[in-house]
Amino acid sequence: GAGVSQTPSNKVTEKGKYVELRCDPISGHTALYWYRQSLGQGPEFLIYFQGTGAADDSGLPNDRFFAVRPEGSVSTLKIQRTERGDSAVYLCASSLGGREADTQYFGPGTRLTVL
Amino acid sequence: QKEVEQDPGPLSVPEGAIVSLNCTYSNSAFQYFMWYRQYSRKGPELLMYTYSSGNKEDGRFTAQVDKSSKYISLFIRDSQPSDSATYLCAMSAMLTGGGNKLTFGTGTQLKVEL
């Protein structure tokens, strides 16, 4: 079956611009996560959705970052006034949700470069 | 100090060697322990998932957890060139809103040479 998909695969933007990154989770998965992976580092948690609501956004670095999941499926991560330090791979993961032991399946990521 | 420490390598071994990868952690709230494999420009792929202290085997892979020492390991037997990738340890803790937050190590880059 189809895995987690993310678009675009690559995004190059200029400092100060606004970007949107999209995630399509595995069908039927109610839990969705965003992580950010900087070069040479492991992924770092950003935000968690259960259904349509952001249940935990404690990993968002500042208020320039925002994410939505209006219909409980596709999610969009939005970054305003991008900075060079935002350059990283943004990974999305989904899981069945509702269980203590829950496997997260990752997408291929969107590589964001801020010039 | 990071919650999860992992030697970034790189680690280079000959084909057929046994590979040992390790992580240490400091947060006692971690309940589940995972190893992910990540090929270049791809997303992490789950290899092993363990909960309790002890060993878990799956084919050529063995995951070991020692909660008393806060130490986890992944062993790869009969390593193959196709095992060349970055191996990430990850640990799970419950979020206040439900769900599981994964905290990753930096990843160890492994190269298996012919």
Side-chain angles (χ1 to χ4, degrees), chain A residues 41-58:
Chain A
Q41 302 297 316
E44 293 182 320
F45 169 79
L46 294 177
I47 187 169
Y48 157 65
F49 287 89
Q50 179 56 46
T52 60
D56 192 309
D57 63 358
S58 61

Side-chain angles (χ1 to χ4, degrees), chain B:
Chain B
Q1 185 186 2
K2 291 184 177 180
E3 286 186 290
V4 179
E5 297 281 354
Q6 182 177 12
D7 186 337
L11 179 63
S12 182
V13 301
E15 183 179 9
I18 296 174
V19 176
S20 172
L21 304 167
N22 312 292
C23 288
T24 59
Y25 64 95
S26 57
N27 188 345
S28 298
F30 291 140
Q31 297 176 310
Y32 299 95
F33 305 90
M34 287 140 279
W35 286 94
Y36 281 83
R37 177 174 63 193
Q38 187 173 29
Y39 292 111
S40 182
R41 295 185 174 261
K42 302 289 186 183
E45 169 196 12
L46 182 67
L47 279 177
M48 300 287 285
Y49 192 127
T50 55
Y51 169 69
S52 56
S53 285
N55 294 353
K56 181 177 179 180
E57 191 173 319
D58 184 1
R60 296 185 296 111
F61 298 91
T62 300
Q64 193 173 79
V65 174
D66 182 346
K67 287 188 175 181
S68 63
S69 300
K70 295 188 174 65
Y71 187 89
I72 71 169
S73 299
L74 177 71
F75 298 96
I76 307 174
R77 290 183 299 283
D78 188 26
S79 55
Q80 303 295 309
S82 59
D83 295 328
S84 298
T86 296
Y87 289 80
L88 296 153
C89 63
M91 314 201 179
S92 173
M94 290 289 289
L95 292 164
T96 53
N100 295 283
K101 170 185 173 181
L102 297 183
T103 300
F104 286 85
T106 55
T108 298
Q109 189 177 351
L110 172 67
K111 184 172 184 180
V112 181
E113 306 205 61
L114 289 167

